[in-house]
C-alpha cells in the first residue's frame, strides 16, 4: 500500500516537522512558525493542517481525508505534553487559536479565532490558574463573540448593519455606566457570555457548542470554507493567486498578552516600511490581546517605549528580529505577544513596503553584504519604481480629508501620482485656464485624440468611462500625467458644467484632488510634494548630489542596465518627450507617431485640404504645406536623440479622424476653408467606415495615396540630412504600418528608398537609415519570411496584433472584458499584459520566420505592452532585441528586463 499522505505537521518545544521552504504545503504563516521554532525562537507550540487538506476538502464535497480526526487528536496531545495542560480539561485547560494561512498572505480572508476551548467548565480552570476571573471571563466573552461572528456567520455583511454582539456589549456598558470595556467587572463579563449565547440561540436556533472538540472542528471548517468566500475570491483575482492553492490551518496554543501590566502584544518591522530606514519600528499595547492593536480601540505606543516598560523582553525581541532578517534576507514584519515578561513570536513574514522603502532596503542590504546585487534587483517590484517618479500627496493632509469624508469615489488608477487642481470639463478650457496660470484637472466622460493639448495642460485627467488602456490612460501614461479612469460614480453634465457624485455637486472651477496610485477622487485641495528624481533628471531644480532618493534610483538602474539582455526604447512623438526618455536612459525611440502632430492648429487645416483635394495635384499642393512642418518635428526629435535610432511610423489612422463630425463643425470648417458645406459633408459621409479599425488605414493609405508616404519620407530625410550637414549623426528608421503582404511593403519601401536617395543626393550627404515594418496583423506573422525580404527591421505593434489575433476591438471590449477576466476566460486584460499563448505564439512565429530569411533582422515591440513587466519578460523569452514603452515607464521596463534575465538564469525558465 502506498504511504499515506502526511496531512499534519507539528511544531513546538524547539522542534518542527516543517520548514521555510514548505510554503506551498504549510502556507506562509505556517512555514514561518515552523522555521522560527527550528531556529530556536520562542513560538507557542501547535500544528498545521496542510493545504492538501483544503484541496481534498473541495475535491470531495467538503469531506476531510480519512483518519484526519485521529491525526488532529494526536497532534493536540503533543502540544498538551509540551505544555502540561489538556484540551477541555476543567482544572488546567489548554486553549488554542485557529489561524488561516495561505501561501501568499491574504488579508481579510478569515479572522483568527482566539481562546478556543473555553466553556463553562474550562473557564473555571483558567480562573484557578491565573487567579484572575476578570481576565478569564474577558477571554471567554471574546471567544464566544469571535466564534459567533466568524464560525457561525453572525458577522454583518452590509456596511450599515451592526455586529449583534457589539450591540449587546454597548447596552451592557450603558447600563453599567462604563466608558471603556475595561470598566466592566468579571460578573458583567460573565453576564455577557450568557447574553451572547442567548443571542446565538435566538438568531440560529441552535446552541453554542460547549464541547471543545466541536468548537475546534467548527473553526477548522470555517477556515477552509473561507477560502471560497467572496472577499477571498476577489482578492485572489486582483493579486493573481491561483484558486487551487488552498489555505492551510494553524492550530496553536494560546499565550496571553492581556494577563496584566507585565504583558503586552504588538507588531514590529525590522526596517521602516514607509522609508526603508534601518531602524527598529513598530507598535505595542500593554495588557492587550491580538487584534486590539489593529482594531484601534486603544492607541498603541511606539516600540521604543517597550524598552522602558519591559527591558528584557524588548532586548529579546530585538535580537529575534535581527536574527530573522538575517535568516530570511529580507525585511520582516513580526507579530509578538509578551506573557508575564516572557516573549513569544506569533508570525514573521517579508514586510510590505512602499516603493521608496523597497529600493532603499534592497540597496542597503547589498551594502551590508546581506544579499547580492542580483537578489536586490529581484527584491524590488518593477511597478514600485513609479512611486519614485510621481508627486505624492502629503500623507497627513490626505488622512484629514478621509476623516472629513471628502473621498468621493474610486476609479481605476491609470496614471500613478498625486495631483490637485480646479475642475474643467473641456480640453480647450484646460488649455486656456492653464495659460491664465490656473492648475486644472480635466474631467471628461471620456477623451479623444483632439483632447491631447488640453490633457497636456491639465495636472490630472479624470474620466467616468474607459479602462486601463483607454485613450485617456494611454496618453496620460505617455505624458506622465496623473490619471484616474472609469470612475463610474461621476455623473458629468457638460452643458451645466458640473458633475455629481451621489448627492455632492461639483462645479467648474471647484478644487478636486486625484490620487492616481489608488484611484481615489477627493473633494478639495490636498498638499502635494514633488518627486525628487524628476526634480533632478527633468526639471533640473535639484542637484543629484543632494537627493538620496535620486542616488538610490540611479544606482538600481545602473545595476539593471548591466544585467538586462534586452534593449529599452521609448514611444515619443515630440521633442520634449524624447528629452524625458533620454533623461531616463532610453536607448532610442521605438515609435514616433506622425499623426499626433497633425492636430496642431495650423496643420489640421492643411491636413483637411489634403483630404478634401479633388485629385493628386490638389493633394500634393496641400502636402507641400505640411512638409516643412513635419520636417521641423522630425529634426527636433532626431537632433535630441543624437545617434540613437528613431523609429518613425508613416501615417496610420483613417482619414476621417481628421475631419469634423457634427453638422455645426462642418459648417464652420466649410466657411474657414471657403468650400461649400455640402461638399464637405459628402466627403465626410464618403469616408465613413463601418469598421475603421479594419478599414482604409495604415499602409493602405500610402498605397492609395503614395504622395503622402513620399512627403513624409522626404520630411524625414531632409531633417536627417540637415543634421548630417551640421556634423551630427542621426539614425532614422522608417516604419510602414499595418503591412500584411510582401508587395505592400515592397511598394511603400520603393517610395521611401527613392525619397532617401533623391534627398541625400540633393544635400550631398549620406545618413544611416533603415526601412522596416510594424508587424500587427496575424498574416504578417505567418508570412514574416516573405515580408523580411523587404524589411530591415520588425516592430510588433501588439495593440493591433492583439485586436486582430483575438478578433477583439479594444474600444468595444470594455463592456465584457472585466467579466472575461473574472471568469478566467482570459488570465489578464490582453491589452495590458500580452496574451502569452495566442499573441505570444504569433510573435514567436514572426520572429523565427523573419530571422530565418534575414539573420540580422532587428526586432522590437512598440505596443503599450512594452512597459508591462510580465510582457517585458515574455519579450525577453521570445528573444526580441528591444521593448519600447512610454517615457515614464522606461525604469519599470529596465528593471523588469533585468529580472527576466536573472530568473531565466536562476530557474532555467521565466516565472511570471
Ligand atoms: P492575521 O492573518 O489576520 O494577522 P493571525 O492568525 O496572525 O491573523 O492572528 C492575529 C493576531 O491574533 C496575532 O497577531 C496575535 O496577536 C493573535 N494570536 C493568534 N494566535 C495567537 C496565540 N496562539 N496566542 C496569542 N495570540 C494569538
Ligand atoms: Mg497575523
Ligand atoms: Mg497600430
Amino acid at each position: 500500500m502506498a504511504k499515506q499522505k502526511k496531512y499534519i505537521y507539528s511544531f513546538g518545544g524547539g522542534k518542527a516537522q516543517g520548514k521555510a521552504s514548505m510554503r506551498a504545503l504549510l502556507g506562509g504563516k505556517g512555514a514561518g512558525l515552523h522555521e522560527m521554532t527550528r531556529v530556536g525562537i520562542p513560538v507557542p507550540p501547535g500544528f498545521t493542517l496542510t493545504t492538501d487538506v483544503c484541496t481534498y476538502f473541495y475535491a470531495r464535497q467538503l469531506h476531510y481525508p480519512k483518519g484526519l480526526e485521529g491525526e488532529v487528536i494526536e497532534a493536540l496531545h503533543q502540544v498538551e505534553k509540551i505544555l502540561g495542560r489538556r484540551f477541555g480539561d476543567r482544572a488546567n485547560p489548554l486553549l488554542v487559536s485557529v489561524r488561516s494561512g495561505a501561501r501568499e498572505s491574504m488579508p481579510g480572508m478569515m479572522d483568527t479565532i482566539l481562546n478556543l476551548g473555553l466553556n463553562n467548565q474550562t473557564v473555571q480552570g483558567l480562573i484557578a490558574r491565573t487567579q484572575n476571573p476578570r481576565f478569564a471571563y474577558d477571554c471567554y466573552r471574546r471567544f464566544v463573540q469571535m466564534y459567533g461572528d466568524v464560525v457561525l456567520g453572525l458577522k454583518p455583511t452590509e456596511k450599515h448593519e451592526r455586529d449583534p454582539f457589539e450591540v449587546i456589549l454597548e447596552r451592557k456598558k450603558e447600563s453599567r455606566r462604563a466608558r471603556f470595556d475595561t470598566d466592566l467587572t468579571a460578573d458583567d463579563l460573565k453576564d455577557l457570555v450568557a447574553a451572547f449565547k442567548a443571542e446565538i440561540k435566538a438568531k440560529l436556533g441552535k446552541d453554542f457548542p460547549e464541547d471543545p472538540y466541536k468548537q475546534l472542528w467548527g473553526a477548522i471548517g470555517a477556515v477552509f470554507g473561507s477560502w471560497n468566500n467572496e472577499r477571498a475570491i476577489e482578492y485572489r483575482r486582483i493579486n493573481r493567486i491561483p484558486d487551487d492553492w488552498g489555505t492551510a490551518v494553524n492550530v496553536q496554543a494560546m499565550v496571553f498578552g492581556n494577563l496584566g501590566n507585565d504583558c503586552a502584544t504588538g507588531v514590529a518591522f525590522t526596517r521602516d516600511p514607509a522609508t526603508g530606514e534601518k531602524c527598529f519600528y513598530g507598535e505595542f499595547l500593554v495588557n492587550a490581546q491580538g487584534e486590539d492593536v489593529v482594531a484601534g480601540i486603544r492607541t498603541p505606543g511606539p516600540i521604543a517605549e517597550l524598552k522602558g516598560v519591559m527591558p528584557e523582553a524588548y532586548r529579546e525581541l530585538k535580537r529575534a528580529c535581527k536574527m530573522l532578517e538575517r535568516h530570511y534576507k529580507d525585511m520582516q514584519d513580526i507579530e509578538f505577544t509578551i506573557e508575564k515578561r516572557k516573549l513569544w513570536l506569533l508570525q514573521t513574514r517579508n514586510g510590505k513596503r512602499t516603493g521608496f522603502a523597497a529600493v532603499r532596503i534592497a540597496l542597503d542590504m547589498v551594502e551590508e553584504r546581506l544579499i547580492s546585487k542580483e537578489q536586490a534587483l529581484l527584491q524590488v517590484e518593477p511597478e514600485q519604481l513609479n512611486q519614485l517618479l510621481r508627486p505624492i500627496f502629503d500623507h497627513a493632509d490626505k488622512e484629514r480629508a478621509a476623516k472629513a469624508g471628502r473621498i468621493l469615489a474610486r476609479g481605476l488608477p491609470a496614471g500613478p501620482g498625486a495631483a490637485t487642481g480646479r475642475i474643467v470639463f473641456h480640453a480647450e478650457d484646460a488649455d486656456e485656464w492653464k495659460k491664465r496660470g490656473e492648475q486644472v484637472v480635466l474631467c471628461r466622460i471620456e477623451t479623444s485624440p483632439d483632447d491631447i493639448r488640453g490633457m497636456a495642460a491639465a495636472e490630472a485627467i479624470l474620466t467616468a468611462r474607459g479602462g486601463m488602456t483607454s485613450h485617456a490612460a494611454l496618453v496620460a501614461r505617455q505624458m506622465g500625467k496623473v490619471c484616474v479612469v472609469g470612475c463610474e460614480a461621476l455623473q458629468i453634465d457638460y452643458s451645466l458644467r458640473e458633475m455629481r457624485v451621489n448627492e455632492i455637486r461639483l462645479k467648474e472651477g471647484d478644487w478636486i484632488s486625484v490620487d492616481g496610485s489608488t484611484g481615489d477622487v477627493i473633494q478639495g485641495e490636498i498638499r502635494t510634494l514633488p518627486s525628487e528624481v524628476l526634480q533632478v533628471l527633468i526639471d533640473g531644480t535639484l542637484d543629484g548630489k543632494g537627493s538620496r532618493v535620486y542616488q538610490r534610483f540611479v544606482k538600481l538602474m545602473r545595476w539593471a542596465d548591466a544585467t538586462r539582455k534586452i534593449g529599452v526604447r521609448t514611444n515619443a512623438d515630440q521633442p520634449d518627450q524624447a528629452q524625458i526618455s533620454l533623461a531616463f536612459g532610453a536607448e532610442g525611440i521605438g515609435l514616433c507617431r506622425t499623426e499626433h502632430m497633425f492636430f496642431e492648429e495650423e496643420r489640421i487645416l492643411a491636413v483637411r485640404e489634403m483630404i478634401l483635394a479633388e485629385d493628386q495635384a490638389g493633394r500634393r499642393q496641400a502636402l507641400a504645406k505640411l512638409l516643412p512642418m513635419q520636417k521641423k518635428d522630425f529634426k527636433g526629435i532626431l537632433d535630441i536623440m543624437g545617434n540613437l535610432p528613431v523609429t518613425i511610423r508613416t501615417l496610420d489612422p483613417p482619414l476621417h479622424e481628421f475631419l469634423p463630425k457634427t453638422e455645426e463643425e462642418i459648417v464652420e470648417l466649410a466657411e474657414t476653408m471657403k468650400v461649400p458645406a455640402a461638399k464637405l459633408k459628402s466627403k465626410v459621409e464618403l469616408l465613413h467606415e463601418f469598421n475603421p479599425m479594419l478599414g482604409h488605414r495604415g499602409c493602405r493609405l500610402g498605397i492609395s495615396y503614395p504622395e503622402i508616404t513620399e512627403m513624409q519620407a522626404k520630411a524625414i530625410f531632409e531633417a536627417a540630412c540637415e543634421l548630417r550637414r551640421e556634423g551630427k549623426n542621426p539614425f532614422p528608421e522608417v516604419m510602414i504600418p499595418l503591412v500584411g503582404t510582401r508587395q505592400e511593403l515592397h511598394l511603400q519601401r520603393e517610395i521611401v528608398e527613392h525619397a532617401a536617395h533623391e534627398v541625400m543626393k540633393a544635400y550631398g550627404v549620406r545618413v544611416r537609415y533603415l526601412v522596416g515594418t510594424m508587424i500587427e496583423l496575424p498574416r504578417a506573422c505567418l508570412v514574416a519570411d516573405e515580408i523580411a525580404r523587404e524589411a530591415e527591421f520588425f516592430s510588433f505593434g501588439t495593440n493591433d496584433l492583439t485586436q486582430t489575433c483575438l478578433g477583439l476591438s479594444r474600444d468595444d471590449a470594455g463592456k465584457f472584458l472585466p467579466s472575461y477576466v473574472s471568469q478566467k476566460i482570459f488570465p489578464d486584460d490582453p491589452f495590458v499584459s500580452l496574451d502569452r499563448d495566442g499573441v505570444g505564439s504569433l510573435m514567436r512565429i514572426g520572429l523565427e520566420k523573419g530571422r530565418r530569411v534575414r539573420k540580422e533582422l532587428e526586432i522590437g515591440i512598440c505596443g503599450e505592452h512594452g512597459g508591462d513587466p510580465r510582457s517585458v519578460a515574455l519579450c525577453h523569452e521570445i528573444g526580441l532585441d528591444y521593448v519600447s514603452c512610454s517615457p515614464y515607464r522606461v525604469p519599470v521596463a529596465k528593471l523588469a528586463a533585468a529580472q527576466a534575465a536573472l530568473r531565466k538564469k536562476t530557474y532555467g525558465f521565466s516565472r511570471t
Side-chain angles (χ1 to χ4, degrees), residues 23 283 310 411 500 508 599 624 702 897:
R23 265 186 100 86
E283 293 178 326
M310 294 168 218
R500 275 183 302 125
E508 180 180 271
F599 280 101

Side-chain angles (χ1 to χ4, degrees), residues 550-568:
Y550 167 77
Q551 283 169 6
R552 291 189 193 110
F553 171 80
V554 168
K555 196 167 182 182
L556 193 74
M557 283 296 101
R558 253 205 323 268
W559 292 354
D561 286 342
T563 308
R564 68 190 161 87
K565 299 279 179 283
I566 191 169
V568 176

Side-chain angles (χ1 to χ4, degrees), residues 585-596:
E587 297 160 311
I589 288 179
L591 175 61
C592 173
R593 303 178 184 87
T594 44
E595 60 271 11
H596 274 174

Side-chain angles (χ1 to χ4, degrees), residues 656-672:
H656 70 83
E657 278 196 15
F658 301 101
L659 291 182
K661 281 159 203 85
T662 66
E663 184 81 35
E664 221 183 336
E665 288 170 321
I666 292 176
V667 170
E668 202 184 295
L669 178 66
E671 269 168 34
T672 329

